[in-house]
Amino acid sequence: MADVINRISGIDLDEVTDEPVINSFSVEDKISYNDVVESRSIIQEYSGYQGKINALYSEFERAGNGRKTSLLRNVKSTYLEAKGKILGDDQSFNNVRAHADQLIEYVKRRLHEQVDASLNNDSALPYEDVEFAVSIVMVDSFMRCKILEEPNK
């Protein structure tokens, strides 16, 4: 996780060529379906980086380190942890919607904690760059349905 965040934090994403991601729904569809309110603006803004993050994931995979799969699995696991802590026994879709922003915030906070605690963390990177990278990974994971629920087709 920290390796990916360090890599994203240390480059100019505007120079990365997009590698398109095909989602079966729009950003707005996923936001509305899950009743996201507080995180709406960040998701709308940072969803535009999904193609660039996808290109970086492909680069990692070509290098043979398969970090995309483990990172997305980690995000999904963190989301499931958030559901248990925030939703308790009522894991219904209505309860997910009622707590969507809390779930997103919990995942983002935990991802930050994981990066900060990692031995691979590059502590020389500015906090703002790490915050940006964590937010972009979180939004990409949201769009890949590792966080919250996929809209009905």
Side-chain angles (χ1 to χ4, degrees):
M1 173 75 163
D3 288 340
V4 174
I5 297 300
N6 288 340
R7 175 86 166 104
I8 295 168
S9 299
I11 64 171
D12 181 357
L13 278 178
D14 293 330
E15 294 180 8
V16 175
T17 304
D18 279 11
E19 188 173 293
V21 177
I22 299 170
N23 298 314
S24 61
F25 49 84
S26 71
V27 175
E28 285 304 318
D29 288 344
K30 176 115 191 222
I31 289 170
S32 296
Y33 184 74
N34 285 282
D35 202 21
V36 175
V37 177
E38 294 170 21
S39 302
R40 175 182 295 270
S41 295
I42 288 177
I43 292 169
Q44 289 170 328
E45 181 71 22
Y46 291 168
S47 65
Y49 288 97
Q50 192 177 23
K52 294 178 183 297
I53 296 302
N54 200 46
L56 290 174
Y57 289 158
S58 293
E59 184 180 313
F60 292 142
E61 294 203 359
R62 280 191 298 276
N65 55 25
R67 289 198 173 101
K68 172 185 171 184
T69 302
S70 62
L71 179 132
L72 293 173
R73 190 179 308 125
N74 179 55
V75 173
K76 180 68 172 188
S77 177
T78 303
Y79 169 63
L80 294 174
E81 173 187 314
K83 283 178 73 174
K85 291 196 180 287
I86 294 169
L87 305 181
D89 290 336
D90 181 4
Q91 305 244 335
S92 68
F93 176 61
N94 285 338
N95 205 25
V96 168
R97 290 184 81 210
H99 295 90
D101 287 297
Q102 286 175 278
L103 291 163
I104 290 170
E105 191 55 39
Y106 181 96
V107 171
K108 184 177 177 184
R109 184 172 26 87
R110 288 288 295 132
L111 295 179
H112 252 295
E113 291 169 359
Q114 291 170 16
V115 170
D116 290 345
S118 174
L119 296 175
N120 297 330
N121 183 25
D122 183 351
S123 59
L125 290 168
Y127 174 83
E128 295 80 11
D129 291 345
V130 174
E131 169 68 16
F132 177 68
V134 168
S135 294
I136 286 176
V137 166
M138 185 203 58
V139 170
D140 177 68
S141 298
F142 171 82
M143 292 304 298
R144 293 175 190 265
C145 297
K146 304 304 178 191
I147 304 171
L148 300 183
E149 307 304 314
E150 182 174 359
N152 291 333
K153 296 179 181 176

